[in-house]
Amino acid sequence: METTKNPLVEALIQERLAQKLTQGQLAEASGLSRRALNLIEGGGDCTLSTLQRLLDTLGLEPVARRTRRMTLDDVVQESEEELFDKPAAPGG
């Protein structure tokens, strides 16, 4: 069974690949073992300090932002769109 990875982990992996770094290279530059990085990229937990070391090594900055929560109206609209297989009219 395949699990969906945390978006933060996905972003770390994508940035590592974009910089053409192997797990071993990123781990060494971050002061981690390759096994530890492999576990993190596989969905395992890590401490905030470990996460910060990885982000620093990749030249990334963590950003916290508020997410939009769905309202009951949003859920009803989404259900109607799926049921009738058409987008809702603008404005509700």
Side-chain angles (χ1 to χ4, degrees):
M1 178 172 104
E2 187 175 318
T3 59
T4 303
K5 289 189 173 111
N6 180 297
L8 184 56
V9 172
E10 283 295 337
L12 271 169
I13 294 168
Q14 291 305 312
E15 185 61 25
R16 176 178 63 76
L17 295 173
Q19 293 187 28
K20 298 182 181 355
L21 295 171
T22 65
Q23 283 184 336
Q25 290 168 325
L26 177 57
E28 183 177 344
S30 301
L32 302 172
S33 69
R34 193 197 63 75
R35 183 175 184 278
L37 181 57
N38 182 269
L39 289 171
I40 294 166
E41 287 191 359
D45 287 333
C46 69
T47 64
L48 286 174
S49 60
T50 298
L51 176 61
Q52 187 64 58
R53 286 187 352 223
L54 288 167
L55 294 173
D56 288 345
T57 302
L58 291 170
L60 298 175
E61 182 177 290
V63 176
R65 61 184 163 92
R66 188 177 305 251
T67 58
R68 181 179 179 275
R69 295 188 181 171
M70 290 186 73
T71 65
L72 181 56
D73 288 337
D74 294 331
V75 173
V76 169
Q77 179 178 343
E78 187 176 274
S79 296
E80 288 175 349
E81 289 173 10
E82 289 176 8
L83 181 64
F84 299 112
D85 196 30
K86 64 177 182 177

